[in-house]
Amino acid sequence: CEDNGLVLGVVDVMDCVYASGGADGWRSIFASAMECDDITDTASVHSTHKSVKSVKSMKSTTRSVKMADTTVLKLRPKAPMICHSSDTVLGVSQMLASKRGDAAIITDSSGGLAGIITDTDVTRRVVAKELLPSSTRVSDVMTANPTCVSSSDSATDALVTMVENRFRHLPVTDDNGSIVGILDIAKCLNDAITKLEKQKDKSSSAAEDAVKQ
């Protein structure tokens, strides 16, 4: 929006991901963010010599860390909000609203994964078609048999799946196939940016301390 509060448009998170330099761009952002967790904090230094050595060591560590070796768990999947396929859209929507969620995992009678429904699905498949949320079963409007990733899969593969298919949400299973979480591309991007900003601040502080020595 402008300084006077006039709204000019809405920024879509997927557009932000695609606008970050294409495939190489978003890969670089997420890889750098996850590497931040593996870099030793070098903010506390006692001499210029030690500071320079620490910075060099930090860069070396960064180069040695491979995003391909990082699992989905590094992306910190959110706890899944689970509903039954016989629930109504109204019931699921109320549950999501109460928990400030935007996607629910739908299970079948045996407890297995049946589908996923998001706020976008409710807008396009229920509201826009003037269906009654109180009488429409979630199984009639959900995305059935959604793509999933295992918690032990590569984080890169999970992100590639989401970005290339424009998935905002991706269910995460354990090795037995049970749903244990859900990835949210908006959360992944926000976490990545936050980590990079914190690492930049730490690096700036370390450099300033080194100059003062």
Side-chain angles (χ1 to χ4, degrees):
C1 64
E2 295 185 337
D3 294 338
N4 61 4
L6 178 64
V7 177
L8 299 178
V10 178
V11 177
D12 184 275
V13 64
M14 293 305 295
D15 289 338
C16 290
V17 173
Y18 276 98
S20 61
D24 292 337
W26 68 258
R27 284 173 187 268
S28 176
I29 291 175
F30 285 116
S32 297
M34 283 187 280
E35 286 169 0
C36 288
D37 292 336
D38 300 292
I39 298 175
T40 302
D41 185 2
T42 59
S44 177
V45 293
H46 304 287
S47 69
T48 302
H49 175 70
K50 290 183 179 179
S51 297
V52 174
K53 182 178 180 180
S54 297
V55 172
K56 289 182 178 179
S57 176
M58 181 176 67
K59 290 182 178 179
S60 177
T61 302
T62 300
R63 286 193 296 266
S64 66
V65 176
K66 294 182 179 180
M67 187 178 174
D69 297 330
T70 304
T71 66
V72 167
L73 291 179
K74 193 78 169 183
L75 298 174
R76 300 191 304 148
K78 297 191 297 185
M81 298 182 188
I82 301 176
C83 295
H84 193 271
S85 57
S86 62
D87 290 340
T88 65
V89 172
L90 177 61
V92 175
S93 298
Q94 291 175 331
M95 183 272 290
L96 290 176
S98 66
K99 297 183 178 180
R100 300 180 66 84
D102 53 10
I105 297 298
I106 311 302
T107 59
D108 56 26
S109 57
S110 63
L113 176 64
I116 184 174
I117 188 168
T118 69
D119 51 359
T120 301
D121 294 331
V122 173
T123 300
R124 296 177 178 177
R125 301 175 183 175
V126 181
V127 178
K129 294 184 178 181
E130 300 183 356
L131 300 180
L132 289 177
S134 58
S135 59
T136 301
R137 291 191 306 173
V138 70
S139 59
D140 294 331
V141 293
M142 69 182 185
T143 297
N145 303 314
T147 300
C148 301
V149 291
S150 170
S151 57
S152 59
D153 284 345
S154 162
T156 303
D157 291 343
L159 291 170
V160 167
T161 298
M162 298 184 79
V163 174
E164 292 187 349
N165 293 284
R166 299 188 75 87
F167 292 159
R168 293 173 182 271
H169 304 88
L170 191 63
V172 179
T173 66
D174 60 17
D175 292 336
N176 296 318
S178 299
I179 297 297
V180 295
I182 185 169
L183 288 176
D184 183 326
I185 191 64
K187 179 178 179 297
C188 290
L189 182 59
N190 181 68
D191 287 348
I193 293 174
T194 299
K195 288 179 182 179
L196 292 175
E197 289 178 340
K198 288 182 178 180
Q199 186 58 43
K200 180 181 178 181
D201 291 340
K202 287 182 180 180
S203 299
S204 297
S205 297
E208 291 175 1
D209 290 341
V211 172
K212 293 177 182 179
Q213 296 295 327

